[in-house]
């Protein structure tokens, strides 16, 4: 009997990075399993990703060889498939690489008739479970645990989108009208108070100016009448005074 593959403690997961489109209606981005297979992989080994509907992952059986790998096109009936064949050296610790693996990104898979493994778009929201499988010339050598269920986004049908926002209820309209009326009344009262205060200030200034004018007004000076000239003996009586 073949030796069963080593069970590794690693659990695949959706990348924790802040990525645009990390989970869509047909794809999701997995964390790259770096350093997971060190000590188990040879230079000729490959790492595969097994994808299964969550309720069918317990029934998945590792293929004995590469020729028995379940293809993408059988997912609707077999409920699982394998994809993303990658040389094991690309997942070793020193090897640089992209931080994520995009599952379901190859849209051309829908039109391919060949038997090659394909990374095609996922046909439904799922949920799905995934695991990594290290395979050599003699079959599976090591495998990770299954991931937690991964649920894809659900596309919204255009027919369910409302063309216009719903009308507000009558109670909301009444409250909005009362608030608007109250605001108008308060604004009128404030403007009236400010106008009265300004008018009173102007009137007070006007009265103060008139008072100062009255206080500064002075009548013309009229000198007292001069005494008649002394009598000189030549004028009529009453037009001169005694010396």
């Amino acid at each position: 009997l073949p030796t069963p593959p080593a069970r590794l403690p690693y659990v695949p997961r959706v990348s924790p990075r802040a990525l645009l489109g990390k989970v869509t209606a047909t794809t999701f981005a997995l964390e790259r399993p770096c350093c997971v297979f060190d000590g188990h992989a040879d230079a000729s080994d490959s790492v595969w990703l097994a994808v299964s509907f969550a309720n069918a992952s317990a029934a998945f059986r590792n293929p004995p060889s590469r020729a028995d790998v379940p293809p993408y096109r059988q997912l609707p009936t077999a409920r699982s498939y394998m994809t993303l064949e990658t040389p094991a050296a690309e997942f070793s610790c020193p090897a640089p690489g992209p931080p994520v693996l995009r599952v379901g990104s190859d849209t051309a898979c829908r039109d391919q008739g060949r038997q090659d493994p394909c990374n095609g778009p996922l046909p439904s929201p799922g949920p799905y479970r995934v695991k990594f499988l290290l395979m050599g010339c003699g079959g599976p050598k090591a495998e990770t645990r299954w991931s937690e269920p991964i649920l894809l986004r659900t596309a919204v049908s255009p027919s369910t989108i409302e063309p216009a926002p719903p009308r507000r209820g009558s109670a909301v309209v009444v409250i909005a009208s009362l608030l608007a009326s109250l605001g108008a009344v308060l604004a009128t009262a404030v403007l009236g108070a400010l106008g009265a205060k300004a008018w009173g200030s102007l009137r007070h200034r006007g009265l103060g100016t008139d008072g100062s004018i009255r206080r500064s007004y002075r009548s013309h000076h009229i000198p007292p009448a001069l005494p008649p000239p002394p009598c000189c003996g030549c004028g009529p009586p009453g037009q001169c005074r005694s010396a």
Side-chain angles (χ1 to χ4, degrees):
L1 294 177
T3 304
R7 298 293 301 273
L8 306 178
Y10 179 78
V11 178
R13 61 173 182 170
V14 173
S15 174
R17 296 170 176 261
L19 302 174
L20 183 64
K22 182 164 52 176
V23 177
T24 69
T26 58
T27 67
F28 59 90
L30 281 179
E31 180 183 56
R32 188 179 179 86
C34 294
C35 311
V36 173
F37 303 101
D38 289 355
H40 300 275
D42 296 328
S44 60
D45 295 343
S46 297
V47 176
W48 291 75
L49 180 72
V51 183
S52 172
F53 284 100
N55 58 4
S57 59
F60 179 84
R61 296 293 178 264
N62 294 331
S65 66
R66 187 185 188 282
D68 300 312
V69 167
Y72 162 78
R73 60 185 177 83
Q74 293 183 2
L75 174 61
T77 55
R79 310 293 289 171
S80 60
Y81 71 103
M82 290 177 63
T83 185
L84 294 177
E85 182 183 14
T86 307
E90 293 191 14
F91 293 143
S92 60
C93 284
V100 297
L101 300 175
R102 176 72 64 175
V103 181
S105 61
D106 191 356
T107 57
C109 289
R110 292 174 175 173
D111 302 326
Q112 288 179 353
R114 62 180 185 268
Q115 301 295 322
D116 294 345
C118 190
N119 183 26
L122 297 170
S124 69
Y128 300 91
R129 280 182 155 173
V130 298
K131 73 173 182 178
F132 290 100
L133 181 64
L134 176 67
M135 294 189 65
C137 297
K141 298 177 63 176
E143 63 180 348
T144 68
R145 298 179 182 273
W146 286 101
S147 70
E148 294 296 324
I150 301 171
L151 183 65
L152 303 187
R153 296 184 180 274
T154 303
V156 178
S157 173
S159 60
T160 62
I161 301 176
E162 296 184 2
R167 298 179 60 184
R168 295 180 295 179
S170 57
V172 176
V173 175
V174 171
I175 293 174
S177 300
L178 290 177
L179 291 177
S181 301
L182 181 60
V185 171
L186 290 176
T188 302
V190 171
L191 291 176
L194 292 176
K197 184 176 180 181
W199 173 253
S201 177
L202 292 174
R203 187 177 179 185
H204 178 72
R205 292 179 182 179
L207 291 175
T209 304
D210 293 342
S212 63
I213 292 174
R214 291 192 185 95
R215 286 193 299 270
S216 62
Y217 176 79
R218 297 178 65 182
S219 60
H220 297 288
H221 177 68
I222 301 175
L226 296 176
C231 293
C232 52
C234 59
Q239 295 184 358
C240 59
R241 60 180 178 83
S242 302

